Amino acid sequence: MKNQIAFYYSLHPKEIAHLNDKYFFEYLGNNYALEPFGRPVSEADSLYKVNRQMISRNLLVHEIILNNEKNVITYINNIPYVLMEIYVNKNARITLADVCHINNNSINIECDSVIARYDWVFLWEAKNDYFEAQINEIGKKYPNLCNYVNYYIGLAENAISYVRFAMQLESQIQTSICHKRIDCSGTLYSLYNPLNYVCDYKVRDICEYVKNAFFCNKDAFDIVCTYFKNNYLSYKEALLFYGRLLYPSYFFDLYDDIVNKDLKENKIEDVVNKSDAYEIFLVNVYMYLSKIYNKYIPAIDWIIKKAI
């Protein structure tokens, strides 16, 4: 890899560390990472434009380095790679404050539609259609998965209805730079990695952070309270926040890994066994939002009745 880095980037590191398909090295006191581009190549230029805007706002995101041909993508052995300069301690664990810092300081950055993810209703309805069409095909191979999926498709339908209601409100909502997924125990390397970015409503990251924290046995409700005490959300944004908490991305992500990446089917039990506890959590968040906004917060009746 040293020869390729020298040829494409005119950098000459003495040592290169290869870790989980990524290459890390230092050159002239600067730290770099060469990482496979695991997204459609059509998104590369859009991510580069976002990256430049975030750097101009003094965010410590990894800086995408163009190759000697002024391209974002470099093909090495037919694999698309992107080189980035790193400005953070890549092994440090993220905090809630780190997540909020990126979201709050990237509000209304211009993004191309190819990396926009804020049409939740359309995306979630398409996902439900996909699962419903697939159930009959995989039923014999994954019987337990198919037994559980109808519950989570139903929960997703609740989330879709909730978000559709919120979007009918006239007030504006802010977009910011968010992550495709976020891990509450993740590192700053992942958090500041532009290859993970999408453009979405700013509540996306905190909701995924909270859901991940819940299923990692952390105090998710305390995280919610801390977030609202330190961040302002409009009434409409608060409804979107709750709608996204309703959406069971945690189940669907595991479903995809089981069906497409050969993850063991019994891993789904990790979330299914906590479904009742998560319903209680949703009720607690509903009560909390109702109190702090002193406005009508739509209720999911079956969840409240079941929890009580």
Side-chain angles (χ1 to χ4, degrees):
M1 189 58 73
K2 287 184 181 180
N3 291 336
Q4 288 90 337
I5 291 171
F7 179 79
Y8 287 109
Y9 296 99
S10 300
L11 302 177
H12 307 278
K14 293 183 179 179
E15 296 181 358
I16 299 176
H18 186 200
L19 181 64
N20 296 330
D21 73 10
K22 302 175 183 66
Y23 296 88
F24 299 95
F25 62 92
E26 180 182 343
Y27 182 64
L28 298 180
N30 300 319
N31 294 304
Y32 297 91
L34 184 69
E35 180 175 333
F37 190 72
R39 299 173 64 155
V41 173
S42 59
E43 296 182 2
D45 287 339
S46 298
L47 290 172
Y48 178 73
K49 293 175 185 176
V50 165
N51 186 235
R52 300 312 305 172
Q53 291 181 73
M54 296 181 77
I55 290 170
S56 71
R57 296 192 183 192
N58 297 316
L59 287 163
L60 293 177
V61 293
H62 310 341
E63 181 176 358
I64 295 175
I65 306 298
L66 299 180
N67 63 25
N68 289 335
E69 296 179 350
K70 304 302 180 183
N71 295 323
V72 175
I73 298 288
T74 298
Y75 286 90
I76 301 175
N77 297 325
N78 295 319
I79 298 174
Y81 283 90
V82 173
L83 181 69
M84 299 172 289
E85 186 171 353
I86 304 170
Y87 301 107
V88 295
N89 179 352
K90 67 179 186 295
N91 298 316
R93 296 297 176 183
I94 67 172
T95 66
L96 177 62
D98 294 324
V99 177
C100 295
H101 181 72
I102 282 189
N103 296 156
N104 293 336
N105 288 280
S106 62
I107 289 173
N108 295 333
I109 277 181
E110 292 184 16
C111 295
D112 295 336
S113 60
V114 293
I115 61 170
R117 298 293 186 273
Y118 39 74
D119 193 349
W120 295 356
V121 170
F122 172 80
L123 293 171
W124 294 352
E125 285 182 334
K127 195 80 169 177
N128 269 9
D129 291 343
Y130 165 76
F131 289 127
E132 289 172 343
Q134 194 180 49
I135 289 174
N136 291 333
E137 298 178 14
I138 68 169
K140 291 183 179 179
K141 186 175 181 180
Y142 304 106
N144 289 334
L145 195 62
C146 291
N147 286 337
Y148 298 136
V149 72
N150 285 324
Y151 167 85
Y152 291 98
I153 288 175
L155 196 56
E157 290 290 348
N158 288 146
I160 290 167
S161 297
Y162 211 94
V163 169
R164 186 179 282 118
F165 171 82
M167 294 306 296
Q168 292 174 351
L169 301 176
E170 293 185 358
S171 61
Q172 296 295 313
I173 41 180
Q174 295 175 325
T175 60
S176 70
I177 300 306
C178 301
H179 300 73
K180 295 181 75 175
R181 282 292 180 267
I182 196 162
D183 184 344
C184 68
S185 299
T187 63
L188 291 183
Y189 178 82
S190 179
L191 188 73
Y192 284 100
N193 189 339
L195 306 190
N196 296 332
Y197 290 163
V198 295
C199 184
D200 206 340
Y201 302 125
K202 72 174 186 178
V203 298
R204 176 193 179 108
D205 269 359
I206 179 58
C207 290
E208 297 304 325
Y209 183 93
V210 166
K211 285 185 283 188
N212 183 260
F214 179 91
F215 288 99
C216 290
N217 299 315
K218 296 187 178 182
D219 192 342
F221 183 72
D222 182 67
I223 294 172
V224 170
C225 296
T226 300
Y227 179 80
F228 276 89
K229 288 175 182 176
N230 293 282
N231 295 271
Y232 171 76
L233 293 186
S234 68
Y235 171 62
K236 184 173 182 177
E237 287 174 322
L239 295 186
L240 288 177
F241 173 91
Y242 193 71
R244 192 159 190 109
L245 285 188
L246 285 170
Y247 186 73
S249 52
Y250 49 86
F251 177 89
F252 294 145
D253 286 349
L254 277 178
Y255 177 105
D256 283 337
D257 287 345
I258 290 167
V259 174
N260 300 315
K261 298 181 181 179
D262 294 325
L263 184 70
K264 291 184 178 180
E265 187 183 14
N266 62 9
K267 290 298 293 182
I268 208 67
E269 304 289 343
D270 293 346
V271 298
V272 170
N273 290 339
K274 296 178 181 177
S275 60
D276 288 344
Y278 193 72
E279 290 170 7
I280 294 172
F281 165 72
L282 288 172
V283 171
N284 290 336
V285 174
Y286 164 77
M287 299 297 291
Y288 177 74
L289 294 179
S290 298
K291 180 180 179 180
I292 64 173
Y293 280 88
N294 197 28
K295 284 187 176 182
Y296 169 67
I297 304 292
I300 306 299
D301 291 337
W302 71 267
I303 294 180
I304 291 179
K305 290 178 181 177
K306 186 177 176 183
I308 293 175

